[in-house]
Amino acid sequence: MSDPWYSFSAERDSVYASEFQGVVDCAKSLALTCFNALDLALVACPGHSGMIKLDFLNRSDPDLQRLANEHLDEFLEAIETGTDLSDFEFVRLLSDGRLDGCVMSCILRDGDGAPVGSIAMLLIPDFVPAPDMTRRAEALAGMLAQLLRSISGKLELELELVAARKRIVWLEKQSRVDQLTGLENSVSFESHANARFGQSEMRKALIILDIDHFKTINDLYGHQFGDGYLRTIAEALRNAFPDTSIVGRLGGDEFGILLDLPEHSRSYLESSMLRCRTSILRSTATLGKPDLGRVSMGAALFPDHGRKFETLFDLADSALYVSKNAGRGVQTVFSPEVHQRFNKREIGRKFREAKSADRIQPHFQPIHDLATGACLGFELLARWQDDQRRLMKQETVTAILSDYRYAEQFTHTMVRQAFEVFETLEWRGNKPPTLAINVTTFDLMNPEFVFEFQSLLSDANGPDWDSIVIEVTESIMLGPRNGQVFRTLEELRLRGARVALDDFGTGYSGLQHLGGWPVDVLKIDRGFIDRMEHSATDGAIVEAIVRLAKRADLAIVAEGIETPNQLRRLVEMNCASGQGFLFSPAVPADHLAEVSRSIDLAALMPTGERADAAPVSVEVSG
């Protein structure tokens, strides 16, 4: 309950001021009529937050106000201490040397006996008390108390309504604001953008900005740092664009900007995005960490490319994906030529069609023992054909795997088909072949992934758990050790599967994962293998990884072996196994038997250029 007296004194311009003034004037008039009073002090009691005098209405002698306060203080103390009030003087006569006359003070109480305030009247010097003085004083006090309570009740209700309206306004504002950054949230951003589109035909640009490698940075330095990083970028965006722009956080590490464009809009847009990039780099430089402030941007134009937010967002998102595909740290304005290739909605439609038409097929690349040439198993890779049976580009597959709506479906489709192939495979080796399966963050974040995987194994009578290798990248492992990804990998290992750390050596902190994360296999990134023929540094890195794996009792696989010299160097380093075009490209299921044979390593190791012929195969029985 609000304090009506305090609120009123704090907001003295209230419409109730005249009503309270009427009570004060009435009290003085009655005091003059009934008691020939020369002056009157009225003190109000708020009931819970102390004594608040209505000084702006009650301009009486300060000493008279002091006596009214003292009488009321005494009454309030008696109530607080539980003193018996039967003998309390609610009306009293007293004298004060600083006042020229006698003073009558009286406690104001409401109908329930609760204190409302007090009055003190300065009487004429020769005042003689009448027999009914106390009765008349209490009648006056009762009337004043009733008037004050009536007015304060209305005021209290009004103030509560004012507070409620303020609360509603605050809540409405909060519903439009992103709590972390203070920018508009996605709902408010879209609403305001659509409103702007409907107000005028002035050209505008919808810009979508995405922070490069934010998940990696967030996991590497912690979520608290990540939140501060987002706030820093939000402030840089506010400073980079004109006040007429709408800036919002669309979710996660994605921001949106609606920018008004002048007549020569293309050059202005380009310079604005460049200014934005510079502002972010300068602001994030103060955070004291490397590789911060790198962003990718995509933009679409109103009304050139569309008139509705949904359309423009879709096109700007396509342009953003072009920027990311170009190596990140790039800004791209939408053009129809690239829309079909990078539009997520279009890619999703093509994925659903290809899935229904069985145009997404598993391919298998063999992994060979670099000591004996024996085929140890295969890595499962996807080949997606369009409606003309042409292979879709890798960027399209990457787009599907980065979209939570399709990534798990893609994995499920590939694994199911691979298990069906393995069910019919006639294997000649002594040990069952391994099957290395690449999974996404979305797969591992699914608490039911292990059970769904088990169902696929059971339905297809596929390989045993100990033949399964789950391949993950270092970026997937940057989450917390008690998180869902960690728990899923642990559960997979408990079932018998092994975990391979793919593209080892390219991430931020691969070494830290070897100590605490469930890892059984290291896969050396193909970039090191490709460069080690011409770079002593890369050769030393490969050799160090091989030795590290042996010391840590981890299996090792070299990826991307394409030349005899690469094979020879790896054999000299005692690298245990490898895969690459020198042995075989990824092949469809009907060629699996051919590439599962052992190979003659000696025949492949003379000095030469990249292999473009099929490797020599030696059939092994047993």
Side-chain angles (χ1 to χ4, degrees), residues 400-460:
I400 286 295
L401 295 179
S402 62
D403 192 318
Y404 72 93
R405 295 170 296 180
Y406 306 115
E408 291 185 73
Q409 296 181 45
F410 195 96
T411 302
H412 186 280
T413 299
M414 294 304 302
V415 172
R416 175 181 55 79
Q417 293 183 83
F419 287 172
E420 292 172 354
V421 170
F422 261 55
E423 185 179 7
T424 62
L425 178 64
E426 295 183 4
W427 182 252
R428 300 183 179 186
N430 294 322
K431 292 178 60 178
T434 60
L435 179 62
I437 301 170
N438 293 276
V439 297
T440 68
T441 303
F442 304 113
D443 295 314
L444 298 176
M445 285 297 292
N446 177 8
E448 304 298 321
F449 176 72
V450 177
F451 303 104
E452 293 171 1
F453 199 93
Q454 177 66 70
S455 297
L456 290 172
L457 279 172
S458 302
D459 292 344

Side-chain angles (χ1 to χ4, degrees), residues 139 152 282 378:
S152 66
R282 286 176 177 172
F378 307 90

Side-chain angles (χ1 to χ4, degrees), residues 127-193:
F127 175 78
V128 177
D132 61 347
M133 179 197 72
T134 299
R135 180 182 58 81
R136 284 189 293 155
E138 289 181 342
L140 172 62
M143 183 180 65
L144 293 178
Q146 185 176 359
L147 287 172
L148 288 175
R149 272 299 185 214
S150 175
I151 298 171
S152 66
K154 292 191 293 182
L155 173 60
E156 189 168 350
L157 179 59
E158 176 66 23
L159 292 176
E160 288 182 351
L161 290 174
V162 170
R165 286 193 290 269
K166 289 180 179 179
R167 176 71 176 171
I168 290 171
V169 171
W170 183 83
L171 289 173
E172 287 178 348
K173 182 179 179 181
Q174 293 300 108
S175 70
R176 299 192 301 267
V177 173
D178 174 65
Q179 297 302 304
L180 178 63
T181 63
L183 300 177
E184 295 198 27
N185 60 26
S186 58
V187 175
S188 178
F189 182 84
E190 179 177 351
S191 175
H192 285 171

Side-chain angles (χ1 to χ4, degrees), residues 210-218 229 253 291 294 327-328 508:
D210 189 90
I211 304 174
D212 295 340
H213 307 297
F214 176 74
K215 182 183 183 301
T216 301
I217 292 170
N218 195 42
Y229 186 30
D253 61 341
D291 298 325
R294 310 294 178 182
R328 300 179 182 266
Y508 279 84

